[in-house]
């Protein structure tokens, strides 16, 4: 609770430090938290690491059946995702990332860049160093961060109801012990299983709007007791009991 109050205070300081240049409001250089600070307004045509960081955080708003590329290029798809993010949180929805958008993002992220409602620990119950999967430990952890931001968007769309995670990244040995498929996205840090509530069908249906192109749930073999959400190169949705 104290950390959240500190974050809100810092966000207020950020707003107070805005600089107005030629009628355009640009973000100041004050650090809003310990994760990442944007120092310029971003819009279609922008490129760079700051765009890539923005894309990670709005990757859960690509639109139905779409996946946002995390490539550092602010194109039409990124503008649309930013617009949907702004609409979701009641901001001025113009597809331009400026002070209001950044302030909301700062409020949504912890100092390790994870969204406030999810942690690296729950995305990796296999080991402490993200090793032993199908990709390097750094890549697996980076992939997991992107999944968490998609989960944050999904959680918000489901009425800010908590989501219960059960299995995220797995090393090859952890995946084998869990009976996972040999090419499972869990091995890449690109998948998460959800249990509890909301219902698995609610989760699976809503996930179609939030950048998950692998959705497995009730009706798919061995998935009647959880919802599986992942990211991969092509779409595969199967939860026949949910009409998917």
């Amino acid at each position: 609770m104290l950390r959240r109050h500190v974050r809100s205070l810092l966000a207020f300081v950020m707003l107070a430090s805005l600089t107005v240049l030629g009628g355009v409001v640009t973000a100041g250089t004050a650090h809003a938290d310990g994760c990442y600070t944007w120092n310029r307004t971003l819009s279609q045509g922008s490129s760079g690491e700051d765009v890539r960081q923005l894309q990670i955080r709005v990757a859960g708003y690509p639109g139905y059946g779409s996946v946002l590329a995390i490539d550092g290029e602010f194109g039409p798809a990124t503008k649309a995702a930013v617009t949907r993010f702004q609409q979701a949180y009641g901001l001025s929805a113009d597809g331009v990332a400026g002070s209001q958008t950044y302030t909301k993002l700062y409020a949504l992220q912890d100092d390790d860049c994870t969204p406030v409602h999810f942690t690296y620990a729950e995305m990796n119950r296999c080991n402490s160093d993200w090793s032993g999967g199908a990709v390097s430990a750094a890549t697996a952890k980076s992939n997991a961060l992107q999944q968490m931001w998609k989960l944050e968007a999904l959680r918000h769309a489901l009425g800010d109801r908590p989501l219960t995670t059960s299995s995220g990244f797995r090393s090859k040995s952890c995946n084998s012990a869990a009976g996972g498929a040999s090419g499972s996205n869990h091995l890449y840090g690109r998948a998460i299983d959800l249990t509890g509530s909301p219902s698995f069908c609610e989760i699976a249906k809503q996930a179609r709007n939030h950048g998950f192109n692998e959705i497995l749930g009730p009706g798919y073999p061995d998935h009647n007791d959880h919802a599986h959400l992942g990211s991969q190169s092509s779409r595969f949705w199967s939860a026949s009991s949910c009409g998917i």
Side-chain angles (χ1 to χ4, degrees), residues 10-22:
L10 288 172
F12 174 80
V13 172
M14 176 70 182
L15 280 173
S17 70
L18 295 178
T19 303
V20 179
L21 297 173

Side-chain angles (χ1 to χ4, degrees), residues 36 38-40 42 47-55:
Y36 187 85
W38 287 270
N39 293 311
R40 61 172 178 155
L42 298 174
S47 63
E49 176 61 18
D50 50 0
V51 174
R52 193 182 75 86
Q53 292 292 332
L54 175 66
Q55 289 171 328

Side-chain angles (χ1 to χ4, degrees), residues 96-173:
V96 175
S99 59
Q100 283 191 330
T101 300
Y102 298 145
T103 297
K104 188 60 193 179
L105 289 174
Y106 296 143
L108 285 173
Q109 67 184 14
D110 280 327
D111 287 348
D112 63 354
C113 297
T114 59
V116 292
H117 297 108
F118 299 94
T119 66
Y120 280 120
E122 67 183 300
M123 290 294 289
N124 180 5
R125 292 182 171 91
C126 173
N127 58 39
S128 61
D129 59 7
W130 299 83
S131 65
V135 291
S136 70
T139 297
K141 190 173 183 179
S142 176
N143 288 342
L145 179 63
Q146 294 180 32
Q147 301 312 301
M148 280 189 274
W149 279 100
K150 293 180 182 183
L151 287 175
E152 185 70 27
L154 173 63
R155 183 186 190 279
H156 185 57
L158 289 168
D160 290 311
R161 286 179 286 173
L163 295 176
T164 303
T165 64
S166 62
S167 181
F169 166 76
R170 300 172 186 163
S171 67
K172 293 178 181 177
S173 60

